[in-house]
Amino acid sequence: MNIKSLTLALLASATLASCSDDFLQDKKDYNSVNEDAYNYYAGASGRLDQIYAICLPDVNSSPYAYRNISTGSADDLSKSTEEYSGFGCYVNPQALLTYQSGNNPLPDYFYGTNKFSTSAWGRIRNVNDVIRGISGSTLSEEDKNKLLGQAYFFRAWCYYQLVKWYGGVPIIKEVQLPNESSFTPRSSTKDCIDFICEDLDLSASMLAPFTTNGGWDADGYGRVTSGTALALKGRVLLLWASPLFNRANDATRWENAYNVIKASIPVLNSCGHRLAYDGTPGTNASNWAKMFIEDNNPEMVFGTQYNNRSDATSAADYTKNNGWEHGIRPSNSLGGGGKTPSAMIVDLFPMKDGRKPAGCKTYYKLDASATTYEEEFPFMNRDPRFYRTFAFPGVRWAFDGDPTGDNHNPYKGNAYELWNYVWYSKADDRNNIESGNTYGADGLMSNAKGFYVRKRTDDLDVNGSARYAYQQANGFKYSASPYMEIRYAEVLLNYAEAACGAGHMSEAVEQLQKIRQRVGYTGDCGLQASLSSDQAACMSAILYERQIELAFEGKRFDDMRRWMLFDGGAVAVPGAPATWKLTGWDGNTCTWLGVAPLNGQRRDNLEFRVKATHNNGLGGSEWKNGVNPDPIVDVERPAAVDLRQPLEPQLETLKEWYLANIERNKKKGDSYDSNHVELFVDYQPYYYIVGLAQGAQGANQRLPQNIGWGDYNNGGAPGTFDPLAE
């Protein structure tokens, strides 16, 4: 890799005096330091803290940014899954991605930007500098190991983010000079996987004396531990065993992943990581919901902390807010307007007995629930996590605050009730699925969403002490809720998947039971008996559980790529060698799993509209002279569903109100063409392993392009680098 085009941050002129222990919230830029800084623990740890600052995932960043991950928002990655509609860039049938700038270019995760601290390779150079500086310092071996263990983790983390997209990349272990002679060729994917695992083993070993006796002390909460390193190693090896890189289904890869993940569990436990609230689900999975907004949470294996500071006079590093709460709250509570889940994800959540809804075609090897699924009333009889993942008309969603102004919302703060049913002002709009001219109750008006994402909310009924500093002018912007990139439940799901792939199905089922017991399931937890003997059905159940447990956490797109769930891996990449052919899993992962490919489907949305029996379902388009435009304003509503109370009687009452007043309606999600004909998801087979964008290739003309993509440095000729070759 040639880094001559990156901005070189010179290590000169400054030494470090001190570093705050509150390192995840009180961060400074220690990029410009002299060599002597590493000889002082405060200086070396301050430099390491700057690595945290530039490498930790950020919920406020696009996945195109240098952190390179999706965190659950409606970005191009999540909009390429069942979670959101609206054709993310990877599934748009009218705009195929190319490597060329200006010609619908694919996202550039390889190079990113010219800025040293925010480019993919600038981050790696920064980490290498820290490793070099601390290793050569006069610090004690104990202090060196404490700091280096964390640095090695982040180098592995940076490489994992590259390898999962591109396969093999240049392995750079030293700080390179920014000149032509510093070129490093691409290594094989296997060599990169081995290198990442070596760094993670180093990290786990070095951090063991400091973290395996219960973890860091309170001031160190959020720092990586030995368990964090092994959890990431398990994720990396699971990627390597998955069909994306393991086309022949090499059993040794699954066994290796299984052994590593299984062995990581006691280490994670020794570091203080475990299922939060295991054995105490709370009312309607309230404790499962609570863990997403708590600090000092054993569920967090790797994540980012935020604060709720809003002092504009403080340095940018001191003000670090989580924008998720603001983004999911409806606009009439002065939130950001809300996030809209697709009808597909709403409809495929399990029923309360843990089985898939009858009629769900996504997982056709899994048993359907004996409880009837009523699409008109999707809130009836669902998995406890459903009510903590979505919000719908007639549910309570309390918060700590009291917005003022004429927003026509009768429910304030801790009494907030969401009534997001809609109406139309014109009959033509009511009968036009593409029309966006809907108006919502209680001041939502044109900002109403048919369903809302509620996952990871700081619900006052759950928390009781808000993590945000609510302001009348800014709503929920100043939130301190953490973001968990790796949580303990994912480790158990990784364990289940690796165990299943290695043929240990009973162990796999045991992990699924732990996940479900935490939210209140008992007995067989709704898992069919055949999972212990049918490997395909077991793996299908694991992927289903991942989709539900990790919904809106930015994990689904990676799972779909790993398992090639857009087409089952059945379609060949032009110019690819025979080794690219999927020979494991009977040549088609979707068929083997019993999972409907996403290609050829579309994700529409849903809304609940006023029935035609009420003024033909029509109302006003604005408030005039204090007159409410809602056509059912005079219809008495039931009390909104309170998740602190038993659900069944409340939901039955709400269902009766729906039956009399509102109805489910299909709304446009994915696009239509110019002739108003429906378009469908179309993920290209060469997208599974993306190519280098023109900018990345132009920055280094000796880097070969991946097979399946045009090579900018060779006149657009087909790429020659094989990410599957060992």
Side-chain angles (χ1 to χ4, degrees), residues 649-667:
Q650 299 185 80
L651 295 175
E652 287 290 350
T653 300
L654 185 62
K655 174 183 173 180
E656 290 302 313
W657 190 88
Y658 272 49
L659 194 61
N661 299 291
I662 62 177
E663 62 188 2
R664 178 171 173 166
N665 186 44
K666 176 181 173 181
K667 285 301 293 182

Side-chain angles (χ1 to χ4, degrees), residues 4 13 20 71 167 169 234 276 319 332 402 406 414 417 433 457 527 535 565 573 580 600 628 674 694 700 722:
K4 64 185 178 66
S13 75
S20 170
T71 59
V169 296
T319 302
N332 63 350
D402 188 7
D406 187 17
N414 61 11
E417 297 183 1
I433 192 174
T457 185
L527 300 168
Q535 188 181 36
L565 297 182
V573 174
W580 281 45
N628 192 333
S674 58
Q694 179 177 326
N700 192 319
D722 185 353

Side-chain angles (χ1 to χ4, degrees), residues 296-495:
N296 298 312
N297 175 7
E299 184 87 9
M300 187 196 289
V301 175
F302 175 50
T304 306
Q305 290 177 277
Y306 293 88
N307 61 48
N308 57 15
R309 299 173 187 169
S310 59
D311 183 2
T313 63
S314 63
D317 286 337
Y318 286 82
T319 302
K320 182 84 171 170
N321 309 132
N322 184 339
W324 179 261
E325 187 74 29
H326 186 77
I328 62 173
R329 287 283 184 167
S331 61
N332 63 350
S333 62
L334 293 185
K339 300 184 189 299
T340 306
S342 76
M344 184 181 287
I345 188 68
V346 170
D347 288 335
L348 64 74
F349 255 65
M351 304 300 289
K352 68 178 181 180
D353 63 1
R355 304 292 177 91
K356 71 171 187 177
C360 173
K361 299 178 181 179
T362 304
Y363 298 94
Y364 54 83
K365 286 188 178 180
L366 301 182
D367 291 346
S369 173
T371 303
T372 300
Y373 178 48
E374 303 172 86
E375 286 191 3
E376 290 292 317
F377 315 106
F379 48 80
M380 296 297 295
N381 302 308
R382 305 305 291 272
D383 180 294
R385 291 166 292 187
F386 179 92
Y387 307 99
R388 303 298 181 176
T389 302
F390 305 109
F392 46 85
V395 71
R396 177 182 167 94
W397 195 355
F399 62 92
D400 184 10
D402 188 7
T404 59
D406 187 17
N407 65 0
H408 310 295
N409 171 21
Y411 301 101
K412 303 293 185 180
N414 61 11
Y416 182 70
E417 297 183 1
L418 176 67
W419 291 97
N420 53 307
Y421 60 83
V422 299
W423 63 87
Y424 301 77
S425 63
K426 299 177 181 178
D428 288 346
D429 285 329
R430 193 172 194 275
N431 297 317
N432 179 5
I433 192 174
E434 294 186 72
S435 173
N437 297 325
T438 57
Y439 304 94
D442 294 353
L444 285 167
M445 297 305 286
S446 60
N447 293 314
K449 305 289 194 297
F451 244 63
Y452 287 83
V453 175
R454 185 180 181 136
K455 182 80 172 282
R456 295 155 52 194
T457 185
D458 191 351
D459 185 343
L460 188 65
D461 288 343
V462 168
N463 190 21
S465 180
R467 300 296 310 279
Y468 47 80
Y470 186 88
Q471 296 183 359
Q472 292 176 354
N474 296 296
F476 306 88
K477 289 183 178 179
Y478 303 111
S479 171
S481 293
Y483 168 71
M484 292 186 283
E485 168 57 22
I486 302 178
R487 58 186 179 93
Y488 195 84
E490 186 208 328
V491 177
L492 294 185
L493 288 166
N494 293 347
Y495 181 13

Side-chain angles (χ1 to χ4, degrees), residues 249-270:
N249 194 11
D250 179 356
T252 60
R253 296 193 191 181
W254 288 107
E255 191 69 28
N256 190 23
Y258 161 75
N259 288 330
V260 166
I261 298 172
K262 183 175 183 178
S264 76
I265 299 298
V267 179
L268 282 155
N269 297 156
S270 73

Side-chain angles (χ1 to χ4, degrees), residues 220-231:
Y221 172 75
R223 290 189 182 273
V224 298
T225 66
S226 293
T228 310
L230 294 180

Side-chain angles (χ1 to χ4, degrees), residues 127-149:
V127 178
N128 281 336
D129 180 74
V130 170
I131 291 172
R132 177 197 55 78
I134 294 173
S135 297
S137 73
T138 59
L139 295 175
S140 68
E141 286 302 304
E142 180 181 14
D143 285 344
K144 285 182 180 181
N145 288 343
K146 181 185 293 187
L147 300 174
L148 286 172

